[in-house]
Every structure is written in C-alpha cells, then in structure tokens.
Amino acid sequence: MPPQLAPGTGFIIRAPQLSGAGTGKGQLVRAIARIAYDIAPNPFTSSGDRSELDKRLTAALVAAQPLIFIDNVNAEVLRSNLLAQIVTENPCSIRPFRENTKLVQIPTNAFLAITGNALRVSEDLARRFLAVDLDAGCEDPELRSFTREFAATVQSQRRELLAAVLTIWRWGRRNNIKGGLPLGSFERWACWCRDPLVALGCTDPVRRISDIKRDDPRRVQLVEFFTLWHELYGDRAVKIKNLDIRLRMLADPQGHGSRQSLASFVANLAGTRAAGYVMMRNIPAGAWGTSTYAVKRTE
C-alpha cells in the first residue's frame, strides 16, 4: 500500500467451516499481491496463540514486505492489540526480540490479508477489517475444474489488470463523486479506493463491518447480557451483589469467577452501548456507598 494511503483497512477472506477448503482464499490474496506488487507473498499462520502471533507479526514488519499474509486461521476468534495497531498506526511502536524495554518505530503501510474457514475477529479489530466471504456452493471445492490456470492468467494479464485499477482510481480523483459510508481512521483510503467503486455501482464494503461485529462472540455476550438485564430490571438500578443468577452465568459461563471478577466485569461495561442499550453507573454520594448499575434503552 502506498504510504499516502496508510492507514487502510485490513481484509479477511473467509469460507465455511467444513466445505471452505479449496474455495480460493489464498489464490485471491496471491492474485492481489501479483497485480499490485508483482510478488508472491510469504504466508504464515497464527498458531492460535496471541503472543506467538505478535512475534510473527513483528518479524513480518521487520522484513518490510508490502503485503502481510496470515493464512489458515481456521475456526478462531482473532484478537491482537498489535494487529489492531498495525492497521491504524503508521508508524507503530514494536518491541524487538529479546528486548524488554526498547521500542522502535517501524512503517506499517503493508496490505494486510487474513484467510481462514469460520474465522471471526473480536474486540477492536472488528472495525478495522472488511470481510470477503467465499462459498463455492459445493461440498468439495478442491475438485472443481477450470479451463485455465488462475495464477498464470493473472500473471499474463497483470499489466491490463493493474491499468484498469489505476484508471478507476484516477477517474475517482479527477471527478467530484459521492462518497460512501463514513469510516473513522480510514478517511483517505475510503476517498481514494472505496468511493470510486461505490460511485460505479459497487456495494459499499463498509456495510459488512456490521456483519463482523454481529459475529463477534464478545459482542454477542454483551447483547445477551444487556437484553436479559433489561428484561429483569427495566430501567431500575441494582447492586451487583443482587444480580440474578442468570446474569452471573452470562458474565462467567464457566463459573470460575469470584464476586470481585463479576464486579469488575460490570464496572468495565459502564458507558458501553450495544443493541440499543447502554450500561449506566450510579456513583453514590457518600464515601462508603455502593455503586448501582442500570441498563437503559437508547432508541
């Protein structure tokens, strides 16, 4: 990605859980890499461990490749503070290997693509990624036959494909076109890359962010928690110690948490808005009073 466009959204290319292998997720990313940069990307996996993923991301940033490709993130809920920082901050601060305190600034204007079957992202990654869902419409996508080899076709027609992309971009820059939905932190990317496509009749990809958020298990938990709370208590404020057992189970499905962890869970939700509700905290006037909480409708 050119430095002038950073930051730009990351992309998730995903497919169904069991019938998603062979749909062409990796082929799509390799086609993007070939058209945009004329390179073959070097993919790596997430391993399912957040600290290990951060190490691999750091190594990829140090290598300064124009495209970061995380492959085969299957049936995972992806979380990473470093990944979130890479998408929106340029440069970003990373900690080199074997360094406990030293931070270095490194450019992050790489195209970021993640592929996987039944892949979901959580927390603050949801607004930073656009989703591309592939479904071959058959049980064994790898058995499909094609008349031409896809990668070879992209390679042979790279100049024409790149020229078409740049023509659309230039047309958008030279004309006063109507923009799509606003997307905070990515205004320049939206104006230069997304808006010309929307003006030509394409669906605004920013609309897909709501789908990603809806699939976020953390957000699903909050929606269920707020909905049940309001069903039980309406707008009435209650103390945490008086919460219904069903709310306690939603806050801690494994039943491992203490009363203090429940209090922390609820306190951290103060001001949070989800599914048309907002969690309100009522701070007592006295020094030794107990805070109460209420879930109220916002719409």
Side-chain angles (χ1 to χ4, degrees):
M1 181 182 300
Q4 296 89 343
L5 286 181
T9 61
F11 281 81
I12 294 172
I13 298 93
R14 59 188 183 182
Q17 171 70 57
L18 297 178
S19 59
T23 54
K25 303 181 296 297
Q27 289 274 37
L28 179 56
V29 176
R30 290 180 176 87
I32 293 171
R34 181 59 64 190
I35 295 169
Y37 309 110
D38 199 19
I39 64 169
N42 298 313
F44 60 92
T45 61
S46 74
S47 80
D49 181 80
R50 293 177 66 174
S51 61
E52 181 62 28
L53 174 60
D54 286 352
K55 292 178 182 178
R56 297 180 185 185
L57 284 169
T58 299
L61 289 174
V62 172
Q65 291 293 317
L67 186 146
I68 296 177
F69 180 13
I70 309 175
D71 196 16
N72 290 322
V73 187
N74 297 321
E76 287 188 31
V77 179
L78 193 61
R79 300 180 178 91
S80 169
N81 292 334
L82 178 58
L83 188 58
Q85 186 181 21
I86 290 172
V87 178
T88 52
E89 302 296 331
N90 184 32
C92 77
S93 299
I94 64 169
R95 194 183 308 279
F97 298 125
R98 301 183 180 89
E99 293 283 353
N100 293 325
T101 59
K102 181 181 178 181
L103 291 175
V104 298
Q105 299 290 311
I106 196 164
T108 58
N109 54 308
F111 182 90
L112 183 59
I114 305 175
T115 65
N117 299 329
L119 166 63
R120 294 177 291 173
V121 296
S122 186
E123 299 170 354
D124 207 24
L125 289 180
R127 73 175 185 88
R128 289 171 160 88
F129 283 85
L130 300 179
V132 177
D133 289 323
L134 301 182
D135 188 347
C138 60
E139 187 173 346
D140 301 301
E142 71 277 5
L143 299 180
R144 295 172 297 166
S145 60
F146 300 92
T147 56
R148 300 186 64 181
E149 206 280 314
F150 179 72
T153 301
V154 170
Q155 179 68 68
S156 65
Q157 299 182 10
R158 177 180 181 261
R159 289 188 177 182
E160 293 86 348
L161 292 168
L162 182 58
V165 171
L166 294 177
T167 298
I168 295 173
W169 170 80
R170 187 169 184 267
W171 172 81
R173 297 297 299 148
R174 291 175 63 89
N175 292 274
N176 184 21
I177 60 177
K178 182 180 179 181
L181 294 172
L183 184 59
S185 302
F186 304 103
E187 292 84 0
R188 178 171 294 181
W189 170 88
C191 177
W192 286 26
C193 299
R194 186 275 311 269
D195 289 352
L197 296 174
V198 173
L200 290 171
C202 296
T203 301
D204 191 341
V206 175
R207 297 183 183 276
R208 296 297 315 280
I209 291 179
S210 60
D211 297 334
I212 297 178
K213 289 184 177 182
R214 186 174 58 246
D215 293 338
D216 177 2
R218 169 67 169 167
R219 187 174 293 267
V220 170
Q221 179 193 25
L222 293 184
V223 170
E224 293 179 354
F225 189 77
F226 284 177
T227 301
L228 179 57
W229 183 307
H230 197 268
E231 288 178 357
L232 292 172
Y233 305 116
D235 291 341
R236 180 165 56 91
V238 296
K239 296 180 180 180
I240 293 177
K241 68 177 184 180
N242 296 329
L243 287 182
D244 187 277
I245 185 62
R246 288 168 290 179
L247 287 171
R248 296 171 181 268
M249 293 177 63
L250 279 176
D252 182 21
Q254 305 301 322
H256 298 153
S258 62
R259 180 179 296 179
Q260 288 76 17
S261 63
L262 175 63
S264 178
F265 175 85
V266 175
N268 288 336
L269 293 178
T272 300
R273 297 172 183 268
Y277 297 102
V278 60
M279 171 71 77
M280 305 296 294
R281 179 184 181 186
N282 302 310
I283 302 176
W288 304 105
T290 301
S291 295
T292 59
Y293 296 85
V295 172
K296 298 184 177 181
R297 290 189 178 277
T298 59
E299 54 185 36

